[in-house]
Amino acid sequence: MEVKIGVQNAPREIVIESSQTADEVESAVAKALEGSSKLFSLTDEHGRRILVPAERLAYVEIGEQAVRKVGFGAL
């Protein structure tokens, strides 16, 4: 699923494809914002970890689960 992360005082947003579910991403955001974790952490599809300081989060946009199409078909 595609996740867009807005960071304060940064001109561009961070866009990653994550294998985590929407509920897992939402709980990670909630933990970071409530103060139990000082970092917002996600793992992308390639196993790389993205860490953003919780006080710098501007927004997190959680996209829909991507369905990969297989085969040839008319568009």
Side-chain angles (χ1 to χ4, degrees), residues 20-67:
Q20 294 173 299
T21 66
D23 292 333
E24 291 173 338
V25 174
E26 185 177 347
S27 68
V29 172
K31 285 180 187 176
L33 294 178
E34 72 185 13
S36 63
S37 174
K38 296 200 183 259
L39 290 174
F40 172 62
S41 173
L42 283 181
T43 305
D44 71 357
E45 290 183 335
H46 302 287
R48 296 178 290 217
R49 298 194 84 193
I50 291 82
L51 302 171
V52 178
E55 70 269 1
R56 296 289 181 195
L57 278 178
Y59 64 90
V60 177
E61 182 180 315
I62 303 170
E64 293 181 14
Q65 188 69 24
V67 178

